[in-house]
């Protein structure tokens, strides 16, 4: 079953938010999902203890370098999707998770400083590819963007990354109060009260587009792997 890791070397990039949004959207579509909370700050674990967590979504916390791979193996046997929320440092745990990932998602805000941190993660992935002698698919996800305006700085960063051959999500996760609300109140976007949380329909649409694109990336990778196997 697909394992998706979220990695960022900079706090506040939206890593845990992106992980929870993807997990709840997948669970809402009927898939069984396990999130492994490998972030020492345990944001996903705290979210999971609030009311409203989807029934088909489980959260595993308190993993260590010694137990992470076993946790991933067990989750892959029991869930349709496994999502790993990684700590924000280049550690053995991060390297191990990347070695098992079918996709690494790198959330980053649309600033030059944040883009530099995203490049650091990409270089770290390159080192793990050499160490494990395997390709590790990844894509950069821009987060906390303005839903109404795409600044020139963001357009410039996107163009620079594309010129470098860095894969990008076509969908950006906008800066939405609803995304903060799920960590305050618990549950998924679909369970929030639209009278109490502004912009909920737009947030739902944005999160669903992100989830759909993540699934499409995984399907393309699976198809490419199958074609490669047939040619071998």
């Amino acid at each position: 079953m697909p394992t998706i890791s979220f990695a960022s070397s900079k706090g506040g990039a939206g890593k845990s938010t992106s992980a929870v949004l993807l997990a709840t959207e997948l669970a809402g579509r009927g898939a069984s999902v396990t999130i492994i909370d490998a972030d020492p700050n345990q944001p996903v674990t705290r979210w999971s203890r609030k009311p409203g967590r989807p029934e088909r979504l489980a959260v595993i916390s308190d993993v260590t370098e010694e137990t992470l791979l076993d946790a991933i193996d067990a989750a892959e046997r029991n869930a349709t999707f496994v999502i790993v929320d990684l700590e924000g440092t280049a550690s053995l745990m991060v390297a191990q998770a990347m070695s098992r990932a079918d996709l690494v998602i790198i959330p980053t805000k649309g600033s030059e400083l944040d883009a530099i941190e995203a490049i650091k993660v990409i270089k770290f992935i390159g080192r793990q590819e050499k160490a494990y002698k395997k390709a590790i698919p990844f894509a950069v996800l821009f987060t906390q963007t303005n839903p109404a305006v795409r600044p020139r700085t963001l357009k410039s960063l996107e163009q620079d990354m594309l010129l470098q051959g860095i894969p990008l999500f076509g969908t950006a996760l906008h800066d939405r109060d609803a995304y903060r609300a799920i960590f305050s109140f618990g549950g998924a976007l679909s369970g929030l009260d639209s009278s109490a949380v502004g912009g909920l329909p737009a947030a739902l649409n944005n999160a669903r587009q992100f989830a759909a694109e993540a699934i499409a990336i995984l399907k393309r990778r699976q198809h490419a792997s199958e074609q490669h196997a047939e040619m071998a």
Side-chain angles (χ1 to χ4, degrees), residues 180-203:
R180 291 181 285 272
I182 59 174
F183 283 89
S184 296
F185 306 125
L189 289 174
S190 58
L192 294 175
D193 183 354
S194 60
S195 65
V197 180
L200 185 55

Side-chain angles (χ1 to χ4, degrees), residues 1-4 22 26 80-81 101-105 137 211-225:
M1 299 299 173
T3 294
I4 305 166
L22 178 58
L26 292 172
T80 308
F81 292 92
D102 297 286
L103 175 64
V104 177
I105 297 178
E213 188 170 358
I215 293 171
I217 292 172
L218 289 167
K219 286 182 177 179
R220 287 198 299 269
R221 180 186 179 277
Q222 181 181 11
H223 180 67
S225 296

Side-chain angles (χ1 to χ4, degrees), residues 1-8 15 36-39 63-73 76 82-87 89-105 124-125 128-129 132 134-137:
M1 299 299 173
T3 294
I4 305 166
S5 290
F6 283 79
S8 172
K15 177 173 57 62
I36 298 176
D37 189 356
D39 186 329
V63 294
T64 66
E65 290 180 351
E66 290 74 26
T67 64
L68 176 63
L69 293 179
D70 288 338
I72 292 175
D73 288 341
E76 287 178 340
V82 178
I83 293 174
V84 186
D85 185 23
L86 292 167
E87 61 182 336
T89 57
S91 66
L92 176 59
M93 184 182 290
V94 173
Q96 289 175 332
M98 287 180 174
S99 75
R100 294 296 184 87
D102 297 286
L103 175 64
V104 177
I105 297 178
F124 184 77
I125 291 173
Q128 303 323 304
E129 288 182 320
Y132 290 100
K134 62 171 291 187
I136 301 175

Side-chain angles (χ1 to χ4, degrees), residues 7-11 13 88-90 98 106-109 111-125 127 140 157 161 166:
S8 172
S9 63
K10 187 176 185 298
T89 57
M98 287 180 174
I106 307 169
T108 183
K109 292 189 287 188
S111 74
E112 184 69 25
L113 292 177
D114 287 274
I116 290 171
E117 295 299 320
I119 297 297
K120 289 181 181 178
V121 176
I122 293 169
K123 290 181 178 178
F124 184 77
I125 291 173
R127 293 195 293 272
V140 171
L157 288 173
M161 287 188 174
I166 296 172

